[in-house]
Amino acid sequence: MRNVCVIGGSRYFGRHLIELLRASGARVTVVNRGSSAPPDGVDHVIADRDDEDGFSAALAGRTFDVVLDQVCYRPQQAAIARRVFAGRTGRYVMTSTMEVYDPATSDLLRPSRPGVAVTERSVDPGVWPARPVHTADEAVDYAEGKRQAEAVFTRDPVFPYVSVRSAHVLGGGGRDFTGRLTHYVRRVAAGEPVVIHRDPFPTSFVNDREIAELLYWAAGAEFTGPVNACSDGELSVTELCSLVAARVGREPVYQVSGDGHASPYSFDRYYAMDNGRATRLGFTFSKAAEWLPDAITESLEA
């Protein structure tokens, strides 16, 4: 893995990934629209991935051992990347999401039985039907866009392909631009209510450094297909708040949602992930309950 292309993702855990690649001695090329500068010591190509001609021209003459695609959200983007990188890379790794399993985002998904974690077989991109991805629901568009992007790469493959289905990423303090963990830290510390579902189900998490390490590992491996990426151990929103409370020294206050809308990581359905495939392939995960206290401290300090 001497020559690597990273599309987007030069902040948050994407920055960790680039640093891991650079430290390994790989030549790293970051492709984005120029909105953020990559770390020092890497090549920078400015291009819009939605502009196929410009994207292809910007990469003219370049080939890669592996491409790591951090920002593929729609099947149209996958189709362009598939054409642009055909014959230019020996491996393609797309960062996907656990939201592909969310039964609330597709009538084709059967609700998972609580306590039986979801495996990669639950969503097979090789047979997932192609359907338009334009609804009034942002969550549905995001999940279905990822499912169909995976399908584009999987069917009639032009290079070995992996989709890393990431759990909810936490950690990083001020580097976490989502602000979701900070949401809990601030509300619990201030004694403000956290809005939750009446019976919230647990979900899966992964540390910001751990997901970068898994992507780095996947780039250098030989397996193909989807792989779940989550730390060991499920946590509900109330368990997350209890860990926050232990750090801030104040008990959480809860408010049950009356309209179905709740704080991030409060879920009224179950689709926590099974990380067994990645484990069997050789990746060792940490335990979420062990690293979360440090992540909460980072958020407090930020």
Side-chain angles (χ1 to χ4, degrees), residues 215-237:
L215 287 163
Y216 173 80
W217 165 77
E222 296 183 355
F223 69 89
T224 58
V227 62
N228 291 342
C230 61
S231 300
D232 292 335
E234 304 169 1
L235 290 170
S236 68
V237 64

Side-chain angles (χ1 to χ4, degrees), residues 6-301:
V6 179
I7 305 175
S10 59
R11 59 177 178 165
Y12 199 25
F13 65 84
R15 202 165 189 88
H16 294 320
L17 172 61
I18 292 169
E19 290 167 353
L20 286 171
L21 291 164
R22 186 182 57 187
S24 75
R27 178 181 177 181
V28 183
T29 300
V30 171
V31 181
N32 62 27
R33 291 178 296 180
S35 56
S36 60
D40 294 337
V42 304
D43 293 338
H44 188 195
V45 172
I46 297 176
D48 183 349
R49 67 173 304 154
D50 294 320
D51 173 6
E52 183 169 352
D53 290 340
F55 193 29
S56 183
L59 293 169
R62 296 175 184 256
T63 59
F64 305 98
D65 297 314
V66 62
V67 174
L68 288 144
D69 191 342
Q70 296 276 70
V71 289
C72 187
Y73 300 110
R74 301 189 302 277
Q76 297 91 335
Q77 293 177 325
I80 289 172
R82 187 177 177 278
R83 291 189 291 267
V84 168
F85 286 101
R88 287 184 176 176
T89 186
R91 185 169 177 78
Y92 202 101
V93 179
M94 170 188 154
T95 301
S96 189
T97 173
M98 72 178 293
E99 308 303 339
V100 300
Y101 300 120
D102 185 354
T105 64
S106 174
D107 56 7
L108 300 178
L109 293 172
R110 298 174 61 186
S112 302
R113 185 156 52 92
V116 181
V118 179
T119 69
E120 292 85 353
R121 293 189 299 274
S122 299
V123 174
D124 181 354
V127 298
W128 191 262
R131 301 193 299 187
V133 191
H134 295 293
T135 72
D137 190 319
E138 183 177 334
V140 171
D141 280 1
Y142 176 66
E144 185 63 19
K146 286 288 191 180
R147 285 188 288 258
Q148 292 202 26
E150 288 191 33
V152 168
F153 283 123
T154 301
R155 292 170 186 157
D156 190 21
V158 295
F159 34 58
Y161 167 72
V162 174
S163 56
V164 174
R165 294 171 175 170
S166 174
H168 307 296
V169 183
L170 294 179
R175 295 189 302 274
D176 178 6
F177 61 89
T178 70
R180 290 176 177 174
L181 183 56
T182 300
H183 165 86
Y184 289 103
V185 170
R186 287 177 175 168
R187 295 194 78 82
V188 174
E192 297 175 355
V194 175
V195 181
I196 63 172
H197 293 95
R198 184 170 300 280
D199 297 300
F201 286 97
T203 188
S204 298
F205 296 98
V206 68
N207 183 265
D208 62 321
R209 293 189 179 276
E210 189 166 39
I211 185 61
E213 290 165 1
L214 189 138
L215 287 163
Y216 173 80
W217 165 77
E222 296 183 355
F223 69 89
T224 58
V227 62
N228 291 342
C230 61
S231 300
D232 292 335
E234 304 169 1
L235 290 170
S236 68
V237 64
T238 54
E239 290 171 323
L240 173 60
C241 286
S242 293
L243 289 171
V244 173
R247 273 292 188 263
V248 303
R250 189 166 191 169
E251 287 302 307
V253 177
Y254 299 114
Q255 176 182 322
V256 176
S257 171
D259 61 2
H261 297 287
S263 301
Y265 311 135
S266 179
F267 295 99
D268 60 357
R269 66 272 185 197
Y270 178 84
Y271 60 102
M273 293 193 299
D274 181 312
N275 63 16
R277 184 177 190 227
T279 300
R280 291 189 296 274
L281 287 167
F283 191 84
T284 301
F285 289 95
S286 63
K287 292 180 172 59
E290 292 181 354
W291 57 256
L292 258 169
D294 288 339
I296 293 164
T297 298
E298 284 182 312
S299 186
L300 277 168
E301 292 171 348

